Amino acid sequence: MSERLEKKGGELLPPCCRPRRHGSRLVKRLFDIAASGAGLIALALPLLAVALWVKLDSPGPVFFRQVRVGRGGTLFRIHKFRTMQVDTERHGQLTVGADSRVTGAGRLLRKTKLDELPQLIDVLFGDMSLVGPRPEVPKYVAHYPAEVKDIVLSVRPGITDWASIRMIDENEILGRAADPERAYIDEVLPEKLGYYVRYAETHHLWEDIRIIVATLMRIVSR
């Protein structure tokens, strides 16, 4: 596992050799509160418009509330605009390729990542950060290697990170796999964990700002 992480961009180091974490958790938290609060106010009308679209497009709630694993292993229910038909998780928690469960509105929301915007609520409440490892469901956190799990869960999960940017077409990759579930666990997840470990060990405020800007540029360029 260590070799895999190092190869994919997330080298594991013994505690005595790990780089010092820069910045302050307080500064990061204040930045999250200010940015998420401002974002929710500035985007209030567009968010309401999207919510109405989701509601009119297919039967069901506006938000998709799924249990995710947060900092320290704490469970919370994430806010996302619903992009799939109601009660489809029983068929699997991965979205693969041109998934027939995705609604008409959901296809555009997923492509533009607008379905992620309600997570500003989770940032404001302190369950998430603007930037950090993406929060996983307990099922896949159970596959985190022991030497990685504590490191990744030492920080709040985020709306975006380098893995989100560089693996933005993940569901299309899984769509080409003979066994998407196995491909996610054996190939995609270890690559993500490499990015997560690197971030957890070295993050600072300016890096967060770089990631936010890179995320916006990546979405616009799609």
Side-chain angles (χ1 to χ4, degrees):
M1 183 63 194
S2 298
E3 291 179 359
R4 189 104 182 231
L5 288 173
E6 182 175 357
K7 181 179 179 181
K8 294 300 184 180
E11 181 183 6
L12 287 177
L13 299 174
C16 63
C17 301
R18 288 175 186 162
R20 181 175 60 87
R21 181 175 296 173
H22 300 285
S24 163
R25 283 189 177 182
L26 177 59
V27 171
K28 181 176 174 65
R29 181 65 190 134
L30 290 175
F31 177 73
D32 281 342
I33 293 172
S36 61
L40 287 169
I41 293 171
L43 297 172
L45 289 180
L47 288 172
L48 286 173
V50 173
L52 180 61
W53 183 27
V54 171
K55 193 67 179 177
L56 294 176
D57 181 65
S58 62
V62 169
F63 293 125
F64 173 62
R65 304 295 310 280
Q66 187 183 52
V67 174
R68 300 290 179 96
V69 181
R71 188 173 70 176
T74 302
L75 300 180
F76 71 99
R77 297 180 70 86
I78 199 170
H79 287 81
K80 298 179 70 173
F81 281 127
R82 181 177 57 82
T83 60
M84 304 180 77
Q85 302 294 337
V86 174
D87 198 27
T88 57
E89 275 197 276
R90 65 180 184 274
H91 299 299
Q93 293 180 312
L94 291 177
T95 305
V96 179
D99 199 311
S100 61
R101 299 173 297 171
V102 178
T103 64
R107 281 191 288 273
L108 180 60
L109 293 178
R110 282 174 173 267
K111 183 176 178 61
T112 58
K113 298 297 182 181
L114 289 175
D115 61 317
E116 310 281 1
L117 284 179
Q119 289 164 52
L120 290 172
I121 299 171
D122 300 312
V123 175
L124 189 62
F125 288 169
D127 291 321
M128 293 180 62
S129 176
L130 290 174
V131 180
R134 287 294 296 155
E136 269 288 4
V137 296
K139 174 181 178 179
Y140 295 119
V141 172
H143 290 277
Y144 287 12
E147 70 271 22
V148 170
K149 186 175 180 180
D150 288 345
I151 299 174
V152 174
L153 298 184
S154 69
V155 296
R156 284 188 178 90
I159 296 178
T160 187
D161 70 329
W162 287 124
S164 301
I165 297 168
R166 292 165 183 166
M167 303 176 70
I168 198 168
D169 296 319
E170 170 192 324
N171 68 317
E172 295 176 14
I173 296 172
L174 294 176
R176 296 191 291 268
D179 185 345
E181 181 87 6
R182 196 74 259 161
Y184 184 78
I185 294 170
D186 292 343
E187 300 174 28
V188 175
L189 191 57
E191 185 166 355
K192 285 183 173 182
L193 289 174
Y195 288 112
Y196 295 169
V197 169
R198 177 62 67 184
Y199 178 83
E201 293 291 0
T202 64
H203 72 87
H204 52 84
L205 182 59
W206 291 114
E207 181 71 0
D208 283 8
I209 293 172
R210 282 185 61 217
I211 291 173
I212 292 170
V213 172
T215 299
L216 295 174
M217 292 179 64
R218 185 74 172 90
I219 292 172
V220 169
S221 66
R222 296 190 78 197

